[in-house]
């Protein structure tokens, strides 16, 4: 397979960057979307250059990119919220990802049903640990910067972000892509996306 000739991180970065760029343009290149794209670009650059920069240095690189484009961003709370959230997500899942890599090495490349289920459960554990960390830590960050907080916001984000990620956004993108093939399918997909968003709201 292709992964026998190209390192897996390089292949993932090569695939992720154009897809993320397409999504960022689709989302209107808002400020938060630009920051997310620059963050991904920083990690992809580290992978392409084959540097072991570490998470903290890569975050600093992303911050440099953001500040080159908008030097006054450092004065906005949104800048610090964004990097705090990304740092929490990355560092909270770091230990889980190392454990996952270790367990995969012990599998010796087996593709048994039990190994696949175990790998899926471990990936779910990494995702869950990141969500719990952001649920606990982000309100503290918001309180530190603004001096106030909402009790319902963390709970809403914990539920809404995964739901929109697995339903509304994929359906909307699929509707856009199918608009070049069939307007009936496009209409159905966009109605489903609208229904999912209404249900979430």
């Amino acid at each position: 397979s292709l992964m026998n000739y190209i390192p897996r991180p390089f292949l993932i970065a090569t695939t992720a960057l154009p897809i993320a760029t397409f999504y960022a343009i689709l989302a209107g290149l808002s400020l938060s979307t630009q920051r997310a794209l620059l963050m991904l670009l920083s990690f992809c650059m580290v992978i392409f250059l084959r540097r072991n920069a570490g998470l903290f240095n890569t975050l600093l690189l992303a911050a440099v990119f953001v500040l080159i484009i908008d030097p006054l961003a450092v004065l906005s709370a949104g800048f610090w919220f964004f990097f705090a959230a990304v740092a929490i997500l990355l560092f909270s899942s770091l230990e889980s990802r190392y454990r996952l890599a270790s367990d995969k090495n012990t599998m010796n490349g087996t593709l048994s049903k039990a190994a696949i289920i175990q790998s899926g459960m471990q990936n779910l554990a990494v995702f869950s640990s990141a969500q719990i960390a952001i649920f606990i830590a982000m309100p503290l960050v918001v309180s530190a910067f603004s001096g106030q907080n909402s009790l319902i916001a963390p709970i809403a984000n914990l539920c809404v972000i995964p739901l929109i990620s697995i339903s509304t956004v994929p359906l909307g993108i699929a509707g856009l892509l199918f608009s070049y093939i069939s307007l009936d399918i496009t209409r159905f997909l966009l109605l489903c996306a609208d229904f999912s968003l209404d249900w979430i709201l």
Side-chain angles (χ1 to χ4, degrees):
S1 66
L2 188 61
M3 292 179 64
N4 292 330
Y5 304 97
I6 303 175
R8 187 171 180 234
F10 189 90
L11 187 62
I12 292 173
T14 305
T15 306
L17 194 56
I19 293 175
T21 303
F22 166 75
Y23 177 76
I25 295 171
L26 188 64
L29 282 175
S30 63
L31 188 58
S32 59
T33 309
Q34 292 177 35
R35 290 173 181 168
L37 186 60
L38 290 171
M39 179 72 70
L40 178 62
L41 177 62
S42 302
F43 279 89
C44 289
M45 280 185 59
V46 170
I47 293 172
F48 293 149
L49 297 175
R50 300 178 184 271
R51 301 292 183 185
N52 187 15
L55 292 179
F56 184 73
N57 289 333
T58 309
L59 284 173
L60 288 179
L61 179 62
V64 168
F65 285 154
V66 171
L67 293 176
I68 287 174
I69 294 175
D70 182 14
L72 296 180
V74 72
L75 301 177
S76 68
F79 173 86
W80 297 103
F81 290 161
F82 173 78
F83 280 94
V86 173
I88 291 167
L89 289 171
L90 288 174
F91 287 105
S92 65
S93 61
L94 184 60
E95 182 180 350
S96 299
R97 284 188 283 116
Y98 279 146
R99 186 170 63 251
L100 175 61
S102 176
D103 291 341
K104 281 184 176 178
N105 288 335
T106 59
M107 292 178 191
N108 295 322
T110 59
L111 292 176
S112 65
K113 184 178 179 180
I116 293 172
I117 293 174
Q118 182 182 359
S119 176
M121 293 299 292
Q122 288 169 332
N123 282 312
L124 181 61
V126 173
F127 174 79
S128 300
S129 66
Q131 291 299 315
I132 292 171
I134 203 77
F135 173 76
I136 296 172
M138 206 55 202
L140 302 177
V141 175
V142 173
S143 296
F145 276 93
S146 64
Q148 56 186 0
N149 209 339
S150 168
L151 295 176
I152 195 64
I155 300 173
N157 287 336
L158 189 66
C159 301
V160 168
I161 292 174
L163 286 173
I164 288 181
S165 299
I166 64 175
S167 62
T168 311
V169 172
L171 286 168
I173 293 176
L176 172 68
L177 296 177
F178 271 99
S179 67
Y180 296 97
I181 302 172
S182 170
L183 292 179
D184 291 332
I185 297 176
T186 299
R187 187 179 300 108
F188 173 75
L189 290 171
L190 293 181
L191 283 173
C192 290
D194 182 63
F195 173 79
S196 70
L197 191 58
D198 285 342
W199 185 82
I200 290 169
L201 292 174

